[in-house]
């Protein structure tokens, strides 16, 4: 070990200590989260499989418009796929809970991949329009990868509420990141290569990711065998009002996307809409990671109304920016700030669903939440589009504010807080 050096300068004694300054630092919450074996591998696989969720709709629109020159047909086909997913996803999740993630997710994904490939062949080969609807409906068996990942965290971190909060925050940030990068990647592939490239790359990522995810058997939640089956999540106390809130949240997301596109188009900058919406997702992603590093106090049911209230207040910023200034730049800044309330709200809401879903049916409970979001997104897209077309794009920003206020009214009720 180095010894201190003693020396003198003029009339002063100087002591120089060369001992290394090492200080033990506790690992951060995210570093601790990925310490257990297998967690990094299943997370990488899940992220690969989740990224195409933000690619498929945009890729389908670009591909169909390039071949059939019809936005109406492209929109109807993607809406059909969304509706089919909302209907089939809970049944797929129920099979996952009953038979295990690996046994169900892999064949379900392969079936969905065949549907996507069939859609490419139908578009490229000039097949009748109805075949596009049928092919897209076949992709509805795609498993809820985010729900399966959250179920693994709930199994691995059972009893550690702080670590589970960090895991749920990370998963929400991952959702935002994938839905931010997915459309950008799809447009790049379809534009730089050929119109079908986005769908084909999405299929390759989905299958690869699910195979890697399913191979991590050590982290897979065990399947409950024997005994009476657990109560369906839809009938569990406190779950129905949370699903209605998910529906309202979906209206917020769906209407905000369509109205922002209409507003940018009305200002003569339609190509900037993607960047503006990406800023909202970026704000949510950053807030989700920060929220996961923070250790919240009190039960999730008590925090949830405050999270929804904050989201409702911040959702007024895009409305004010659009109506008072008409500036696309200020709208982008408002969306960046408004997005910061999204992830904490979603994390807290999904935590409540995890807590109230009967044991052994977590995948189904999480998928019901996603189904509610999808239904709300579809309704919000239609309502926001109607308002933007028949009233104005600026007035359309009132739709997400109204939907957020409805969510706040529900969460403030006794049914959600108790």
């Amino acid at each position: 070990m180095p010894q201190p050096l003693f020396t003198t300068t003029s009339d002063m004694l100087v002591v120089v200590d060369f001992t290394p300054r090492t200080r033990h630092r506790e690992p951060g919450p995210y570093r601790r989260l990925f310490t257990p074996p297998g967690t990094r591998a299943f997370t990488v696989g899940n992220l690969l499989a989740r990224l195409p969720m933000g690619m498929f709709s945009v890729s389908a629109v670009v591909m169909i418009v390039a071949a059939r020159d019809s936005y109406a047909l492209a929109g109807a086909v993607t809406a059909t796929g969304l509706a089919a997913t909302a209907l089939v996803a809970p049944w797929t999740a129920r099979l996952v809970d009953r038979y295990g993630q690996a046994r169900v997710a892999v064949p379900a994904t392969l079936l969905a991949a065949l549907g996507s490939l069939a859609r490419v062949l139908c578009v490229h080969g000039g097949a009748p329009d109805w075949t596009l609807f049928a092919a897209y409906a076949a992709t509805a068996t795609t498993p809820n990868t985010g729900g399966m990942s959250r179920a693994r965290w709930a199994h691995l971190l059972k009893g550690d509420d702080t670590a589970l909060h960090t895991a749920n925050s990370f998963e929400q940030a991952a959702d935002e990141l994938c839905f931010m990068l997915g459309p950008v990647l799809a447009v790049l592939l379809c534009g730089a290569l050929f119109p079908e490239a986005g769908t084909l790359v999405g299929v390759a990522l989905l299958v690869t990711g699910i195979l890697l995810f399913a191979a991590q058997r050590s982290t897979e939640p065990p399947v409950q065998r024997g005994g009476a089956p657990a109560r369906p999540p839809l009938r569990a106390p406190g779950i129905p009002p949370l699903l209605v809130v998910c529906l309202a949240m979906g209206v917020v997301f769906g209407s905000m996307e369509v109205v922002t596109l209409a507003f940018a188009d009305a200002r003569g900058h339609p190509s900037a809409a993607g960047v503006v919406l990406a800023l909202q997702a970026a704000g949510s992603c950053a807030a989700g990671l920060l929220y996961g590093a923070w250790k919240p106090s009190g039960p999730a049911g008590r925090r949830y109304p405050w999270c929804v209230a904050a989201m409702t207040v911040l959702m007024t910023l895009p409305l004010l920016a659009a109506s008072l200034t008409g500036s696309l730049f200020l709208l982008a800044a408002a969306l960046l700030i408004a997005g910061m309330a999204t992830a904490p709200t979603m994390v807290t809401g999904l935590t409540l669903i995890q807590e109230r879903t009967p044991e052994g049916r977590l995948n189904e409970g999480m998928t019901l939440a996603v189904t509610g979001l999808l239904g709300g997104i579809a309704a919000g897209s239609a309502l926001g589009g109607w308002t933007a077309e028949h009233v104005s794009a600026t007035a359309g920003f009132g739709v997400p504010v109204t939907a957020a206020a409805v969510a706040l009214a529900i969460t403030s009720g006794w049914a959600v807080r108790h």
Side-chain angles (χ1 to χ4, degrees):
M1 178 179 296
Q3 298 296 322
L5 174 65
F6 294 87
T7 186
T8 59
T9 61
S10 181
D11 59 348
M12 183 180 297
L13 175 65
V14 179
V15 181
V16 182
D17 187 3
F18 292 100
T19 305
R21 296 296 190 266
T22 58
R23 182 168 49 182
H24 177 70
R25 295 182 61 185
E26 290 292 331
Y30 289 104
R31 184 178 175 185
R32 291 196 302 269
L33 185 66
F34 293 102
T35 299
T39 53
R40 297 184 184 184
F42 88 69
T43 298
V44 170
N46 188 269
L47 290 177
L48 287 175
R50 207 184 305 190
L51 181 60
M53 298 302 101
M55 298 175 58
F56 282 136
S57 294
V58 175
S59 298
V61 170
V62 173
M63 180 173 61
I64 293 172
V65 169
R68 307 292 172 93
D69 194 25
S70 173
Y71 278 99
L73 176 61
V77 169
T78 54
T80 299
L82 191 66
T85 300
L87 291 173
V88 175
W91 296 96
T92 304
R94 184 174 297 182
L95 293 175
V96 169
D97 284 327
R98 184 173 301 176
Y99 299 107
Q101 293 184 355
R103 291 182 62 186
V104 175
V106 173
T109 298
L110 294 178
L111 179 60
L114 289 176
S116 294
L117 294 177
R119 186 171 70 250
V120 171
L121 292 176
C122 290
V123 172
H124 189 71
D129 290 348
W130 66 265
T131 61
L132 306 184
F133 292 91
Y136 212 140
T139 65
T141 59
T142 305
N144 178 16
T145 51
M148 291 192 299
S149 185
R150 288 178 172 92
R152 292 201 179 207
W153 288 121
H155 165 63
L156 294 172
L157 305 174
K158 191 173 184 179
D160 190 345
D161 293 339
T162 300
L164 186 58
H165 166 76
T166 302
N168 286 334
S169 300
F170 171 79
E171 291 296 328
Q172 186 60 39
D175 279 339
E176 300 293 345
L177 184 64
C178 290
F179 278 100
M180 179 175 62
L181 296 179
V184 176
L185 179 59
V187 171
L188 280 174
L189 290 170
C190 294
L193 299 178
F194 47 90
E196 297 86 358
T199 300
L200 294 176
V201 172
V203 170
L205 289 172
L206 176 63
V207 174
T208 302
I210 285 294
L211 291 176
L212 178 59
F213 179 83
Q216 313 308 313
R217 302 301 291 268
S218 62
T219 57
E220 182 177 350
V223 177
Q224 288 191 340
R225 303 187 184 278
R231 176 187 300 180
L234 197 56
R235 298 180 183 178
I239 291 291
L242 287 172
L243 296 181
V244 176
V245 173
C246 287
L247 186 68
M249 294 280 287
V251 174
V252 173
F253 302 148
S255 59
M256 186 66 79
E257 180 175 346
V258 172
V259 170
T260 301
L261 290 169
F263 185 84
D265 191 24
R267 294 298 181 276
H269 301 286
S271 60
V275 177
V276 174
L277 290 171
L279 285 175
Q280 182 185 7
S284 183
C285 179
L289 292 174
L290 291 174
Y291 190 62
W294 174 60
K295 297 179 180 179
S297 59
R302 188 179 302 169
R303 298 195 307 271
Y304 197 39
W306 292 104
C307 290
V308 179
M311 186 187 74
T312 304
V313 171
L314 291 182
M315 281 297 162
T316 63
L317 295 180
L319 176 61
L320 293 174
S323 58
L324 297 180
T325 69
S327 168
L328 192 60
F329 176 79
L330 290 179
L331 175 65
L335 285 173
L336 175 66
I337 298 172
M340 293 180 181
T342 302
T345 304
M346 290 297 300
V347 169
T348 309
L350 292 176
T351 299
L352 281 172
I353 289 178
Q354 284 183 351
E355 292 176 356
R356 298 176 182 184
T357 297
E359 190 172 358
R361 305 194 75 157
L362 185 56
N363 284 294
E364 184 179 352
M366 300 300 292
T367 302
L368 284 172
V370 173
T371 299
L373 285 169
L374 290 177
I377 289 172
S381 298
L383 186 58
W386 186 92
T387 305
E389 183 173 344
H390 292 87
V391 185
S392 69
T394 300
F397 285 103
V399 176
V401 175
T402 304
V406 171
L408 177 60
I410 298 171
T411 55
S412 299
W414 182 89
V416 171
R417 290 187 287 109
H418 295 80

